[in-house]
């Protein structure tokens, strides 16, 4: 019976298919495990999410203070712009540009003594003044 199968002109293609299948499986496995282990969170959406902690906001006579507030951080459009949505009726801050600072840290472009926002993998620090309004946050996730 084996002689009949060997005489069949398609006999060699079964071995080729098995070898190609095995190579495809090995390539797929290698691709999955070769992800960049040194991925820097500042290069992706790692900072997006909810940070909880102490928040303040002041505008004229209006003041909001909470020790149990939250800030939802969203990366927008480009790799360097973020929006900040505050809880407790505090107005949002939108479209701020950030730059990488060291490893795993983003700092607002144009930070000064009056305006500074820093995001790390676990912490959000905000001191931001704009048009007579001032936001602060000291939050973690």
């Amino acid at each position: 019976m084996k002689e009949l199968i060997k005489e069949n002109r398609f006999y060699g293609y079964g071995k080729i298919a098995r070898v190609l299948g095995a190579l495809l499986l090995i390539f797929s496995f290698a691709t999955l495990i070769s992800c960049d282990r040194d991925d820097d969170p500042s290069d992706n959406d790692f900072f997006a999410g909810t940070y909880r902690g102490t928040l303040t906001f002041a505008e004229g006579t209006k003041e909001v203070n909470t020790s149990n507030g939250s800030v939802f951080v969203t990366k927008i459009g480009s790799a360097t712009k973020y929006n900040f949505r505050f809880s407790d009726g505090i107005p949002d801050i939108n479209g701020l540009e950030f730059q990488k600072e060291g490893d795993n840290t983003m700092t607002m472009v144009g930070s000064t003594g009056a305006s500074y926002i820093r995001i790390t993998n676990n912490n959000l620090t905000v001191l931001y003044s704009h048009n007579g309004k001032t936001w602060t946050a000291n939050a973690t996730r």
Side-chain angles (χ1 to χ4, degrees):
M1 182 90 145
K2 287 187 178 182
E3 287 82 19
L4 289 174
I5 294 173
K6 286 183 181 179
E7 288 177 17
N8 187 335
R9 61 185 168 144
F10 297 110
Y11 175 72
Y13 293 115
K15 285 184 178 180
I16 293 172
R18 283 192 300 259
V19 170
L20 287 177
L23 288 174
L24 181 62
L25 182 63
I26 291 169
F27 176 75
S28 298
F29 182 70
T31 301
L32 288 174
I33 63 170
S34 67
C35 294
D36 186 5
R37 296 192 196 310
D38 296 328
D39 189 25
D40 186 344
S42 65
D43 294 333
N44 54 38
D45 290 340
F46 184 75
F47 297 116
T50 302
Y51 295 79
R52 299 185 187 286
T54 303
L55 310 178
T56 66
F57 173 75
E59 178 183 21
T61 59
K62 178 183 177 183
E63 288 189 21
V64 178
N65 293 301
T66 181
S67 61
N68 194 25
S70 64
V71 182
F72 183 68
V73 179
T74 309
K75 187 181 214 179
I76 59 168
S78 74
T80 60
K81 290 194 176 182
Y82 287 82
N83 289 341
F84 299 84
R85 189 175 73 217
F86 292 81
S87 65
D88 300 286
I90 297 173
D92 299 342
I93 303 172
N94 295 313
L96 295 181
E97 189 167 359
F98 283 75
Q99 64 188 3
K100 185 176 175 181
E101 178 186 278
D103 291 334
N104 306 325
T105 302
M106 297 290 281
T107 304
M108 185 182 85
V109 171
S111 290
T112 65
S115 293
Y116 176 82
I117 299 176
R118 183 172 188 246
I119 310 170
T120 68
N121 59 340
N122 292 320
N123 297 301
L124 171 65
T125 306
V126 175
L127 170 57
Y128 184 75
S129 292
H130 182 69
N131 290 337
K133 302 173 188 175
T134 303
W135 293 257
T136 68
N138 186 9
T140 60
R141 62 174 169 169

